Amino acid sequence: MSRVPGWLGRVGARLTEMSERLDERRAAMERERVEAEPSLQPEPVPEPPSDDRVPPPPDYAPAMAPRPDPALAVPWGMRVAAEAGWRLLVLAGTVWVLMRIISAVQLLVLAFVAALLITALLQPTVGRLRRHGVPRGPATALTAILGFVVIGLMGWFVTWQVMENIDNLSDQIQDGIDELRNWLLNSPFHVTDKQINEIAKNLREAVGANTDQITSAGLEGVTVVVEALTGILLTVFSTLFLLYDGRRIWEWTLKLVPAAARPGVAGAGPRAWRTLTAYVRGTVIVALIDAIFIGLGIYFLDVPMAVPLAVFIFLFSFIPLVGAVASGALAVLVALVTQGVFTAVMTLVVVLAVQQIEGHILQPFILGRAVRVHPLAVVLSVAAGGMVAGIGGAVVAVPLVAVTNTVAGYLRAYSHEAALRHAPRPRGATASDAAPADPPTPPEQP
């Protein structure tokens, strides 16, 4: 190994000596600064505990600024939209599940709703009999028997009239078709005999091509008849029990409601029942007036089966808007194919005149403000009810909307009054200042 030169060793020793002197100078300056500022004196170190369990030194992590709440970084409008969105999704899911359940037991639901409508129509009669001293059982039985006998007689009368006049109606329809054909040939529309024959040929081919579907529809008609009979029996039994034991059924239903919401529901129930009763009675009166006047009009115009057509008009009047159009179109069609164009036009005039009187005079006067529903709501509810449950859904859609409107309005007013009652009163106020103007009434018998 080669030796380190002597001059290099002397340089290293000199550098070491200079470093030691700088350290001593730095230490002396630090002591002078600490002595000059007492706040920088080091804190006394605590003595270690007497035992051997020495606590571990604290974890001196570097201090970090706290992060803001992530929700605060989202704009207010987006947060409101998100809150409303998930609630709407929950409501939509609930409605979807409810509709699935209703569609699964559609026959049961329609039968019970029909029983409610019939009960709303017959219950005032039971109340009158009870006020005259008739016991509840006989009053219920007498009213139910009378009501169902009237409904059955109407159905039997319509069937009998149709069967009695079917042969004459077929001949009149054939004569009317021939007359309509001659009118088209001589009309200013320039319809030729070849075009009429082509239309008739297309109709025959359409009927022949759909024979299988018509046959299957006829076979499905047997199932429809069985379901209709089952629904009628369910409706009859439900009506009997609602007429006889409606109060106890309502009281039992109230027990299913949470205690906090029970007073509001107990007050909304009688109001909903009065709305339903007013709707059913008013609709029956309006439908009866329509049937009588339109029936008299088509009777004096010598339209065949005027009485069955009047009964159809009465039944179709329970479907708002759509029923009046369908029954009027049926009467005009029968007049067209049996009596000609002039009689059909006069029948149309009669139907439109009666319906205008009904819409502008009868319904506002008879139904009044009890079941006032906007025409747009009527159209949308009838369309939705028809898509969900067919004709039965279209019949019950409007009373359901009317009852829902009444219940929602009462519950809104009730919650407002409850908030006023529980609000802190200003100094010097009396108990009468916070009392509601219209306290909820106890439940009545449905």
Side-chain angles (χ1 to χ4, degrees), residues 61-345:
M64 299 179 62
R67 294 182 178 181
D69 188 1
L72 299 178
V74 182
W76 174 256
M78 187 175 295
R79 278 189 283 169
V80 172
E83 292 284 340
W86 73 259
R87 286 176 171 83
L88 288 176
L89 287 177
V90 171
L91 288 177
T94 304
V95 172
W96 182 81
V97 172
L98 183 62
M99 295 305 298
R100 297 286 295 180
I101 295 174
I102 291 176
S103 61
V105 291
Q106 178 178 339
L107 180 63
L108 180 63
V109 173
L110 289 179
F112 183 75
V113 173
L116 280 176
L117 296 177
I118 297 174
T119 304
L121 180 63
L122 299 181
Q123 194 272 333
T125 305
V126 177
R128 293 189 187 95
L129 293 176
R130 292 290 306 278
R131 286 191 295 270
H132 284 81
V134 181
R136 181 171 58 182
T140 302
L142 182 61
T143 304
I145 291 173
L146 181 62
F148 288 119
V149 164
V150 170
I151 295 174
L153 286 176
M154 289 175 57
W156 170 81
F157 182 75
V158 172
T159 305
W160 172 63
Q161 285 290 314
V162 171
M163 296 302 296
E164 284 289 326
N165 296 278
I166 190 67
D167 295 332
N168 296 331
L169 182 62
S170 300
D171 296 336
Q172 290 178 348
I173 289 176
Q174 185 62 42
D175 295 338
I177 292 175
D178 295 336
E179 184 179 350
L180 180 61
R181 178 173 180 168
N182 296 329
W183 181 80
L184 289 174
L185 290 175
N186 299 322
S187 67
F189 299 109
H190 304 290
V191 179
T192 62
D193 194 16
K194 181 179 179 181
Q195 292 175 339
I196 295 177
N197 293 332
E198 188 70 22
I199 294 174
K201 180 181 178 182
N202 293 333
L203 290 175
R204 285 194 298 267
E205 291 177 354
V207 172
N210 297 317
T211 302
D212 296 336
Q213 297 180 2
I214 295 173
T215 305
S216 61
L219 295 177
E220 292 177 357
V222 178
T223 306
V224 172
V225 170
V226 174
E227 292 181 353
L229 292 176
T230 305
I232 290 173
L233 291 177
L234 288 174
T235 302
V236 170
F237 281 107
S238 300
T239 303
L240 289 174
F241 283 109
L242 287 174
L243 285 173
Y244 180 76
D245 221 5
R247 178 180 290 275
R248 284 196 290 182
I249 293 174
W250 169 245
E251 292 174 353
W252 177 83
T253 305
L254 283 178
K255 295 179 181 178
L256 303 178
V257 181
R262 196 171 297 163
V265 176
R271 289 167 172 79
W273 184 253
R274 285 197 294 269
T275 299
L276 183 63
T277 303
Y279 173 83
V280 174
R281 295 173 65 182
T283 303
V284 168
I285 294 173
V286 172
L288 188 61
I289 293 174
D290 284 354
I292 290 175
F293 283 97
I294 295 178
L296 289 175
I298 60 178
Y299 175 78
F300 287 113
L301 290 173
D302 291 332
V303 178
M305 293 198 308
V307 177
L309 285 175
V311 175
F312 276 116
I313 291 170
F314 173 78
L315 297 177
F316 274 73
S317 296
F318 285 91
I319 307 176
L321 300 179
V322 179
V325 174
S327 60
L330 178 62
V332 172
L333 181 61
V334 172
L336 176 63
V337 298
T338 57
Q339 299 296 327
V341 178
F342 177 77
T343 305
V345 172

